Amino acid sequence: MTWAVATGAMFLGAATAYAAHRLDPADRRPSAGPAPSTPAPAASMNLTSTLAAVTSLVGSDKMSVALLDTESGKWATYGEAVFDTASIVKVDILSTLLLQAQDARRKLTAHERDLATEMIEKSDNDATSTLWTGIGEATGLDSANKRLGLKETTGADGTAWGLTRTTAVDQVRLLSAVFGEKSPLDTASRTYIQQLMYHIAPDQDWGVSAAADPGRPTALKNGWLQRSQTHLWDVNSIGRVETNGRVLYAAVLMNGCSTEEVGIRFVEQAARSAATAFARTLT
């Protein structure tokens, strides 16, 4: 996937195209579901005003953002809707595989490790489908998620793993299980996932990484999916970000984007604005 970094003028043009496209009646299907029944953690900062410049263009129900400061344990959030994961579910799939391997007191096979590398670093879908089947599809994912602390994520039916449903807050909970010490994943499993997320293919280095301080690496996984009926795009990004001297777990979820490139620009704008404003409240 190749795309150009937008200038301010390009961003404005993309925003105008998005704003016009999002009024299409075909985009009114309920891809973002109702608020989850499980309350989100009490947020130290509500990001509504911070993200107003973005949400005024994309629509308040088209985006959700969650940030967790790893030092203070404070949250910043916007939105509670449920979104399709697209490829960000691949971190969850690998976490499930590793948790199952721990339970069986075994290491991943060489083939499983090859598939995991393809799935996370290159976002390979065939490798993902093989591992999805291997973990027991939604049944295996949902079982693992109960132990990983996810409360608002539901595995997709059948083989359509990209249609797993989740929230931004739950994706931050997943990042906490992958990067935090209080996790059912042991040190070796967490380190393995982290290493893969720090080595994403260069053409996929976009999303919440836009909020990182210059020169600071981001552990990252992105997801993008064009809907077959509306031809609009879901664009999601999750990761561990170092910004303004803080370490944040970040998730930005979007749907209804006119193009993948437009979605990327909005996700990055939201990540930068939210992370910068949140970090300032923590200093």
Side-chain angles (χ1 to χ4, degrees):
M1 173 174 51
T2 304
W3 60 284
V5 177
T7 63
M10 289 174 67
F11 181 85
L12 179 60
T16 302
Y18 182 96
H21 206 301
R22 71 184 180 89
L23 298 177
D24 188 335
D27 188 27
R28 299 192 183 277
R29 68 174 191 84
S31 57
S37 57
T38 304
S44 302
M45 180 179 183
N46 185 300
L47 295 168
T48 299
S49 59
T50 300
L51 295 174
V54 179
T55 58
S56 64
L57 294 169
V58 305
S60 60
D61 61 337
K62 299 292 186 183
M63 173 180 286
S64 187
V65 179
L67 302 170
L68 174 64
D69 176 55
T70 61
E71 181 179 347
S72 67
K74 293 181 178 180
W75 287 78
T77 62
Y78 173 82
E80 296 181 341
V82 181
F83 292 78
D84 294 328
T85 58
S87 286
I88 60 173
V89 75
K90 293 171 181 179
V91 175
D92 203 359
I93 293 171
L94 180 53
S95 298
T96 299
L97 175 65
L98 288 164
L99 198 56
Q100 291 176 348
Q102 286 179 203
D103 292 343
R105 298 185 178 182
R106 71 172 183 87
K107 296 181 179 180
L108 298 190
T109 66
H111 183 53
E112 286 173 330
R113 294 178 71 88
D114 288 343
L115 291 171
T117 299
E118 291 293 308
M119 177 175 69
I120 300 297
E121 294 187 358
K122 300 179 182 178
S123 206
D124 184 86
N125 290 337
D126 290 338
T128 306
S129 294
T130 300
L131 292 178
W132 174 253
T133 300
I135 65 169
E137 299 180 348
T139 299
L141 190 82
D142 293 345
S143 178
N145 282 343
K146 292 178 182 178
R147 299 166 61 186
L148 293 166
L150 279 66
K151 302 176 181 180
E152 300 147 3
T153 300
T154 305
D157 293 336
T159 59
W161 43 262
L163 300 184
T164 294
R165 304 281 279 166
T166 195
T167 63
V169 165
D170 240 18
Q171 288 304 298
V172 170
R173 290 184 178 122
L174 176 61
L175 291 168
S176 296
V178 169
F179 290 92
E181 294 183 0
K182 295 181 179 179
S183 172
L185 293 166
D186 63 26
T187 300
S189 293
R190 297 196 310 273
T191 300
Y192 179 60
I193 304 174
Q194 293 168 22
Q195 289 174 343
L196 295 180
M197 291 181 69
Y198 274 116
H199 291 89
I200 296 298
D203 65 341
Q204 295 174 29
D205 185 7
W206 51 262
V208 297
S209 56
D213 291 335
R216 302 306 300 171
T218 298
L220 186 66
K221 187 68 194 83
N222 297 318
W224 57 99
L225 172 66
Q226 186 176 31
R227 310 305 308 208
S228 59
Q229 293 184 345
T230 64
H231 303 293
L232 302 180
W233 288 80
D234 299 338
V235 181
N236 304 322
S237 183
I238 63 172
R240 178 190 181 278
V241 179
E242 297 182 34
T243 181
N244 293 292
R246 313 296 297 201
V247 176
L248 306 178
Y249 301 148
V252 181
L253 310 182
M254 279 196 68
N255 65 29
C257 305
S258 57
T259 68
E260 179 188 355
E261 290 77 11
V262 166
I264 289 171
R265 292 167 193 163
F266 279 122
V267 165
E268 293 194 331
Q269 177 72 9
R272 280 191 296 263
S273 298
T276 299
F278 185 39
R280 287 172 180 167
T281 70
L282 300 168
T283 55

